[in-house]
Amino acid sequence: MVSKRLSRLEGHRRKFIAVIDDTPECSRAVHYAGRRAKNSNGGLVLMYVIPEGDFQQWLGVEEIMRAEAREEAEAVVAKAAHVVRETIGIDPEIVIREGSATEQINAVIEEDRDIAILVLAASSAKEGPGPLVSSIAGRGATFPIPVTVLPDTLTDEELDALA
């Protein structure tokens, strides 16, 4: 059970969370979540989850691998945040975690009680709609807040109209 959301209380604001990953549809979720946040005077959280890797090497190698993964995560999220600032005009919060995506998303939602909506974008690729959308559809993952799943066929203008 998730803690009570605080986004409607005085001094709080509703936040949208978008997960940054290496999927092409990720930018659609960020765009829509950013527009929704701006249009509702809310906030945007950009989250990157470093996958559970095989960091079980010798101590020195493990530390180097973790540092490289962290640097890559910071660069990818910084780029997405820059796009949000330039195109939408809001300054997103950035969260980087390591572990299972579902577990880490749920942990961030529990920690930040202003987060009210998770935004994901589906892919129409033959491999499937994407890892997070697939896990939700297959009931492999559940989240304690509403999840908005965007089809990849929408243009930026159509996303803006919906936001």
Side-chain angles (χ1 to χ4, degrees):
M1 176 151 174
V2 72
S3 299
K4 180 181 175 187
R5 303 287 90 191
L6 302 177
S7 56
R8 292 288 182 203
L9 299 178
E10 189 173 331
H12 294 268
R13 64 185 182 150
R14 178 174 63 173
K15 294 179 185 177
F16 296 81
I17 185 169
V19 180
I20 306 295
D21 57 22
D22 60 356
T23 60
E25 61 271 11
C26 164
S27 63
R28 323 276 312 135
V30 171
H31 181 86
Y32 179 80
R35 287 283 182 210
R36 284 287 315 268
K38 182 172 184 166
N39 291 344
S40 64
N41 293 319
L44 174 62
V45 176
L46 299 179
M47 180 177 186
Y48 188 103
V49 180
I50 300 168
E52 294 175 303
D54 187 19
F55 295 129
Q56 313 294 321
Q57 307 290 328
W58 296 300
L59 186 58
V61 175
E62 177 183 348
E63 289 174 9
I64 291 169
M65 290 174 69
R66 272 203 164 87
E68 288 174 351
R70 180 75 185 197
E71 281 180 27
E72 178 184 341
E74 289 171 354
V76 169
V77 176
K79 182 178 177 183
H82 176 75
V83 169
V84 168
R85 283 186 209 98
E86 294 296 314
T87 62
I88 300 172
I90 62 172
D91 194 25
E93 296 175 37
I94 294 174
V95 175
I96 299 174
R97 297 287 180 93
E98 181 181 321
S100 157
T102 303
E103 289 174 13
Q104 294 305 316
I105 293 167
N106 278 317
V108 169
I109 291 168
E110 181 62 28
E111 292 164 16
D112 187 342
R113 294 173 52 198
D114 287 339
I115 295 174
I117 298 175
L118 170 61
V119 179
L120 302 174
S123 169
S124 60
K126 64 181 179 180
E127 296 82 27
L132 281 173
V133 175
S134 292
S135 68
I136 292 170
R139 300 235 186 244
T142 58
F143 298 101
I145 59 174
V147 178
T148 299
V149 179
L150 306 168
D152 73 341
T153 56
L154 297 176
T155 65
D156 283 348
E157 293 78 25
E158 291 169 325
L159 288 174
D160 290 347
L162 290 171

